[in-house]
Amino acid sequence: MFKKTPLATAIAAATAGSLATLPIASTAAAQEAVEDTSGEVEEVVVTGSRIRREVADTPNPVTILDREELELTGMENVADILRHTTYNSFGSFRERSGTSFGQIALVSLRGLGSDRTAVLINGRRVPGNPFTGSAAVDLNSIPLSAIERVEILSDSASAVYGADALGGVVNIILRDDYEGFEVEAGTVFPTREGADADHFEFVFGTSGTRSNMLFTAEWFTRDPIFDGDRAYSAVQVNDPGDGTLPDLGVDTVGVSGGGNTAFHPWFIAAASLGDCSTDVYAGVVENPFGIPGTACGFGYADISAQTGGIDRISTYLNANYEFQPGHQIFFENRLTRVASFGRYAPAVGFFSVPGDSPHNPFDTTSSYPLLADGTPAPFSIFHRFVGHGPRDDDTERYELDNVLGLTGSVMDGAVNYEAYARFYRYQGSEEGETYILQSQVELEAELGEYDLTNPLSQEPSHLAALGRMAATLYRDILTEYTAAGVTIDGPGPDLLAGPIGWAAGWEVASSDYMDDYDSFREAGNILGSAGNSAAGSRSRWAGFAEVAVPVMDSLEATIAGRYDNYDDFGTAFSPQLSVRFHPWDPLVIRASVGEGFKAPNLTELYQSRSQSFNDLRDLYRCEALGTDPCPQFQVENYTGGNPELDAETSQSINIGFILEPISGLTVSMDRYNVKIEDVVQQLSLATVNRLEAAGVELPPGVTVTRGAPTQPGDPGRLISVNSVFANLAVREITGIDLRVHYEFELPFAAASIDVEATKLEEYELTSSPTDPAVDILDGDLTPDRRATVTARLSRDTMTGNLIWRFTGANGGYSSHHTTDMVGVWLTPWDGEVSVGVRNVMDEMPPAHDDGGWDDGAITLYDVTGRAPFIKYRHSF
């Protein structure tokens, strides 16, 4: 490696870290730590490279959140910490109620997708979560008590880590060097309903002359948040569709037009059934789904949960034994059990009723379609099965991860090595209650046993029909993953500017995946849920190499390459070139350019078609008709796999600098561009609507069905959307990251101020090579800027943290900001007390300009509200 002055080492070491890590310690200890940085720095493997080097030498933008930094966030799990970083541009999937993801938590760097963010543990890739059927990793399975630090590489890294690293890398380093025993207990008690949380953990570590061992155990529980407990998601009827918004339907939040509504066989008319009592329903509304007539609405938000409940137990074991000088055997074990709960309102769905039924509200004497035998054709009912009660889904999953390996050095330290073997198993089960058999309800309605107009009837025949119609659903999931690999590295020949650094390695892995649904859903015979069984396997092997060449004392170039071979996809080669230039002491310039790829997930290829109903504002039609505000209503949509998918390929570039203009002040800035071609994406309804409005061709397999226009220029009412996985021609994102860290001394305390900000310049989608790009940046839930400012004071045994977070305005949502306060006191009796309040001002997610609520917003905004917390840790 090339030589650096002590000042340059301090600059780069500070900026490679979190830029916000004053230790929880006395002023004297902090000063001692600062003085120690002027000496030799240990060479380690830093995320983004497999070559051992000083942290200061990394040519890639890496943010390091050490243990103290993690603790001073005041959060209880790594998922919440990562989703609050500015790299989490458009938010990430959180524990949603009633989804097929089973209350997992994901991370999506740069808004490029959770399965394009590689998650590593101790530098080794974690298999994807089988609930998603993708490469996305469930962060809820990783105990915070076991984490030493989190390294975030905000640059594409397929050349180093292979597929799934197109958006960046999160490397979670687990603890291995603790000696002693400590326990911690804490509680969070939000001032709003829901999200109360408790946790308890203990850590034990011991070491001898040739061995050490660390064991952690953690219990964490958090209550769900119900839609009705938040004003923005509770039942609202902004316009009943009574003519104020002609032919565009109701504008509601938390209300379905399918409480009890009949539709003409040609869907040209609608009519509410029964008296639509407000004791059960939300009342009569007009023009459901844009169809003329009346509907019996249902306020599902009075029942449904917005976020799911979670109960987690996690353990982690790390053991090392030096069987010969310079050679160690290590064993790592993670075991996690997660139970979660989600609630939906009573099942809802379309089913057919014979046209000669006494409940048919339409005139069958004229202009009504007839069957071949002359009888009236069946009509459809969109019906809420309130007599069965809410749908409750309970999920239980176990994750087991074992790694056994050897590490050390040979040839008098000239070659370092690590070899490992891994066995990983993820098993989950899900049970859903009070779902409805479609064939049975149609039979009961035809026989008159089930009272369509009074689902809460207590008549014996009706109650018996309820039992025959009900179904309990099951789902079993299993992933088994085995892997082995070896990595070697060391210094190479000396050049004039220093020795060459090199690393090389090989790895092999195979996985088996099974997602087994109950036979009812496989047959498409369930109202209120959908899904089909799937299974698959995949094997791969890869070879990789990396060389760092000191061109001159101030310039180093690193070349990396990786060759991947998949048994079901083929091969791919990913190269990368990184440069680090240190022209003078206060300045470091870095740049990288690389290519990458991502093979389609098995579920993206083969997932069965499923039906859903989600909220949407049909902006395309509203703009065409000049309707403002644009109403929101539920739209029938279908999702599924596409066996015609191609692999994604990417090109990325990052250029940045690190500057220390004065002592204690460090500034870094990086400008990046990531371009991904043949993107595999399941487009959101809003994105499909925007692409349609832009007049571009929709991707293959994605279709929109509309009714006949009512006037010139009217595209027609939206009937349904088919949004399967598809290859978009291009997705390209460009942005700037800014980091500022300033440490200074006050007369009474050590202080620091940190600024982390991200500004996205563009985020373009191109649905086919022949169509123009559509910039979705700054649309609904795609903000172009995020920022965090942290101010910290530390004196003797006291540390205080003030964190301000900002999310820019986007689409119809105004800008949003929250403030957290955290204080830590080291007691004289070897204890540590942490108290604070997250979201001090109790800021809720911003309301859309058109009113209402998009349930996708909880991926971007925290919905807990003001959350005081307290925790106590004691060391023995």
Side-chain angles (χ1 to χ4, degrees):
M1 303 301 161
F2 60 86
K3 298 166 61 179
K4 298 178 296 300
T5 65
L7 176 59
T9 299
I11 296 171
T15 53
S18 67
L19 305 182
T21 53
L22 280 181
I24 307 172
S26 66
T27 304
Q31 181 63 35
E32 182 180 353
V34 172
E35 291 171 355
D36 285 344
T37 62
S38 63
E40 293 296 325
V41 182
E42 179 186 5
E43 290 189 345
V44 296
V45 176
V46 182
T47 302
S49 172
R50 296 183 186 271
I51 299 175
R52 297 173 193 264
R53 63 179 85 204
E54 298 178 12
V55 174
D57 287 340
T58 175
N60 306 102
V62 179
T63 296
I64 301 177
L65 305 175
D66 65 16
R67 184 154 186 82
E68 288 79 15
E69 182 71 9
L70 298 175
E71 292 174 355
L72 281 169
T73 63
M75 297 178 185
E76 296 81 28
N77 60 76
V78 68
D80 287 338
I81 292 171
L82 289 174
R83 68 168 54 106
H84 280 91
T85 66
T86 56
Y87 305 112
N88 189 33
S89 303
F90 303 150
S92 299
F93 185 90
R94 68 171 68 234
E95 303 83 351
R96 295 270 296 274
S97 171
T99 73
S100 61
F101 281 12
Q103 326 307 325
I104 66 174
L106 308 175
V107 61
S108 172
L109 299 181
R110 306 298 193 201
L112 292 173
S114 56
D115 62 345
R116 298 179 190 91
T117 299
V119 176
L120 317 177
I121 292 182
N122 292 339
R124 295 178 289 270
R125 194 191 320 182
V126 181
N129 185 275
F131 273 94
T132 69
S134 72
V137 174
D138 180 12
L139 298 172
N140 273 334
S141 65
I142 304 172
L144 185 61
S145 61
I147 296 176
E148 178 65 28
R149 67 184 183 275
V150 177
E151 300 177 355
I152 304 173
L153 172 64
S154 51
D155 191 10
S156 293
S158 287
V160 180
Y161 301 110
D164 317 327
L166 304 187
V169 178
V170 174
N171 189 9
I172 298 171
I173 308 299
L174 302 181
R175 301 170 70 176
D176 64 357
D177 60 353
Y178 176 77
E179 187 167 1
F181 178 66
E182 68 181 30
V183 296
E184 178 179 297
T187 185
V188 183
F189 40 99
T191 56
R192 294 176 181 266
E193 290 293 325
D196 293 68
D198 299 292
H199 77 276
F200 176 81
E201 63 187 54
F202 72 84
V203 180
F204 173 74
T206 184
S207 64
T209 57
R210 301 176 63 183
S211 63
N212 62 74
M213 186 271 287
L214 171 78
F215 179 76
T216 73
E218 180 177 293
W219 169 73
F220 173 79
T221 182
R222 182 163 57 198
D223 294 340
I225 296 174
F226 286 87
D227 285 311
D229 291 332
R230 297 291 186 267
Y232 55 80
S233 56
V235 170
Q236 304 168 45
V237 179
N238 302 317
D239 193 300
D242 56 4
T244 306
L245 306 174
D247 195 35
L248 286 176
V250 297
D251 184 11
T252 63
V253 174
V255 176
S256 166
N260 203 12
T261 306
F263 291 89
H264 189 277
W266 292 341
F267 283 88
I268 59 174
S272 58
L273 294 182
D275 58 8
C276 199
S277 170
T278 54
D279 293 336
V280 178
Y281 300 105
V284 175
V285 293
E286 303 292 326
N287 304 327
F289 308 111
I291 298 174
T294 61
C296 185
F298 184 79
Y300 61 85
D302 286 336
I303 299 172
S304 56
Q306 185 174 126
T307 66
I310 185 171
D311 187 290
R312 169 171 56 84
I313 298 175
S314 305
T315 64
Y316 170 65
L317 172 67
N318 182 296
N320 296 269
Y321 175 69
E322 187 179 37
F323 60 92
Q324 284 186 1
H327 301 272
Q328 286 188 331
I329 183 172
F330 65 88
F331 176 68
E332 300 170 5
N333 168 270
R334 286 190 306 118
L335 178 61
T336 300
R337 177 261 188 189
V338 180
S340 57
F341 165 81
R343 170 166 289 176
Y344 268 173
V348 63
F350 278 100
F351 58 92
S352 296
V353 178
D356 57 4
S357 166
H359 299 297
N360 191 339
F362 305 108
D363 182 6
T364 60
T365 60
S366 62
S367 301
Y368 189 93
L370 302 178
L371 299 177
D373 61 1
T375 59
F379 64 98
S380 295
I381 291 183
F382 198 34
H383 181 77
R384 184 73 65 165
F385 294 87
V386 295
H388 289 81
R391 289 166 288 170
D392 288 346
D393 288 346
D394 291 289
T395 303
E396 188 171 40
R397 53 193 187 269
Y398 294 87
E399 184 174 21
L400 172 67
D401 191 8
N402 289 318
V403 179
L404 179 66
L406 298 172
T407 183
S409 60
V410 296
M411 302 174 60
D412 295 326
V415 176
N416 305 302
Y417 72 88
E418 179 181 287
Y420 75 93
R422 182 181 207 165
F423 174 73
Y424 173 93
R425 180 183 174 91
Y426 192 108
Q427 183 173 0
S429 61
E430 187 174 69
E431 179 177 317
E433 299 179 348
T434 62
Y435 289 84
I436 306 299
L437 291 169
Q438 180 173 348
S439 60
Q440 190 65 35
V441 70
E442 290 178 344
L443 176 62
E444 301 291 349
E446 183 178 357
L447 297 176
E449 299 294 318
Y450 178 69
D451 191 341
L452 290 170
T453 60
N454 183 17
L456 294 180
S457 169
Q458 296 302 299
E459 290 293 328
S461 60
H462 177 82
L463 295 176
L466 291 182
R468 292 189 294 268
M469 293 156 48
T472 298
L473 308 183
Y474 300 94
R475 183 185 181 194
D476 293 307
I477 291 180
L478 177 65
T479 284
E480 289 189 344
Y481 174 90
T482 57
V486 61
T487 302
I488 56 176
D489 70 272
D494 280 334
L495 302 181
L496 292 177
I500 293 175
W502 63 272
W506 168 86
E507 63 185 29
V508 61
S510 64
S511 60
D512 293 290
Y513 164 72
M514 179 199 73
D515 190 354
D516 188 16
Y517 278 81
D518 54 84
S519 59
F520 297 134
R521 281 183 286 189
E522 283 190 327
N525 193 27
I526 289 293
L527 295 178
S529 182
N532 274 286
S533 299
S537 63
R538 170 173 283 172
S539 297
R540 62 176 178 85
W541 64 266
F544 49 86
E546 187 177 359
V547 178
V549 180
V551 181
M552 59 179 70
D553 285 348
S554 59
L555 178 64
E556 180 183 84
T558 301
I559 302 172
R562 181 183 176 101
Y563 180 84
D564 283 271
N565 186 301
Y566 283 73
D567 67 342
D568 64 341
F569 161 69
T571 63
F573 177 71
S574 303
Q576 186 181 55
L577 171 65
S578 302
V579 176
R580 184 182 183 278
F581 182 44
H582 191 179
W584 57 303
D585 282 352
L587 177 66
V588 172
I589 299 173
R590 61 192 178 196
S592 66
V593 59
E595 297 180 358
F597 85 102
K598 180 182 178 302
N601 298 313
L602 296 176
T603 52
E604 292 171 342
L605 292 167
Y606 307 119
Q607 185 182 68
S608 298
R609 192 168 182 255
S610 60
Q611 178 193 50
S612 185
F613 293 87
N614 299 95
D615 290 337
L616 178 70
R617 290 179 175 85
D618 187 359
L619 298 177
Y620 177 30
R621 194 181 189 208
C622 287
E623 292 171 359
L625 297 181
T627 303
D628 186 28
C630 188
Q632 177 176 282
F633 55 90
Q634 286 192 317
V635 175
E636 181 183 32
N637 60 96
Y638 294 88
T639 59
N642 185 350
E644 302 301 319
L645 293 175
D646 295 322
E648 302 176 357
T649 59
S650 72
Q651 302 86 42
S652 64
I653 185 170
N654 187 95
I655 301 176
F657 68 84
I658 305 167
L659 177 67
E660 187 183 27
I662 61 174
S663 178
L665 175 62
T666 305
V667 179
S668 72
M669 180 178 290
D670 289 272
R671 189 176 190 272
Y672 59 88
N673 173 269
V674 181
K675 184 177 182 180
I676 308 176
E677 298 182 341
D678 292 326
V679 175
V680 177
Q681 172 81 13
Q682 195 165 36
L683 296 178
S684 69
L685 294 179
T687 300
V688 172
N689 192 250
R690 292 180 66 182
L691 292 175
E692 187 186 18
V696 300
E697 180 183 352
L698 296 176
V702 178
T703 58
V704 176
T705 302
R706 290 185 174 272
T710 61
Q711 62 186 60
D714 179 9
R717 67 174 184 84
L718 187 57
I719 297 176
S720 67
V721 176
N722 188 45
S723 184
V724 299
F725 288 106
N727 287 109
L728 299 179
V730 176
R731 172 181 293 184
E732 185 170 7
I733 185 168
T734 304
I736 296 175
D737 290 332
L738 172 68
R739 301 290 179 267
V740 179
H741 174 63
Y742 184 39
E743 291 184 16
F744 54 97
E745 290 288 335
L746 297 173
F748 56 89
S752 72
I753 295 177
D754 293 272
V755 177
E756 300 183 357
T758 296
K759 173 66 172 69
L760 301 182
E761 297 176 342
E762 64 178 8
Y763 194 140
E764 293 188 338
L765 294 181
T766 309
S767 62
S768 72
T770 59
D771 289 319
V774 176
D775 193 350
I776 68 168
L777 189 62
D778 216 20
D780 284 358
L781 306 180
T782 55
D784 67 345
R785 63 194 70 192
R786 295 190 69 168
T788 299
V789 179
T790 303
R792 184 171 303 166
L793 293 176
S794 181
R795 177 177 179 176
D796 298 328
T797 59
M798 306 286 290
T799 300
N801 224 27
L802 180 68
I803 308 171
W804 177 78
R805 296 186 175 91
F806 169 82
T807 301
N810 55 94
Y813 295 93
S814 61
S815 60
H816 182 257
H817 60 88
T818 61
T819 303
D820 298 351
M821 298 178 64
V822 183
V824 179
W825 174 44
L826 302 180
T827 72
W829 55 84
D830 295 326
E832 180 180 307
V833 179
S834 300
V835 297
V837 181
R838 298 198 293 265
N839 194 355
V840 174
M841 303 307 294
D842 196 28
E843 295 286 342
M844 284 285 95
H848 196 277
D849 288 345
D850 289 341
W853 166 252
D854 183 341
D855 58 6
I858 71 173
T859 61
L860 181 62
Y861 303 106
D862 190 352
V863 296
T864 303
R866 184 187 296 114
F869 68 89
I870 184 170
K871 62 181 179 180
Y872 177 74
R873 176 184 301 156
H874 193 87
S875 301
F876 297 90

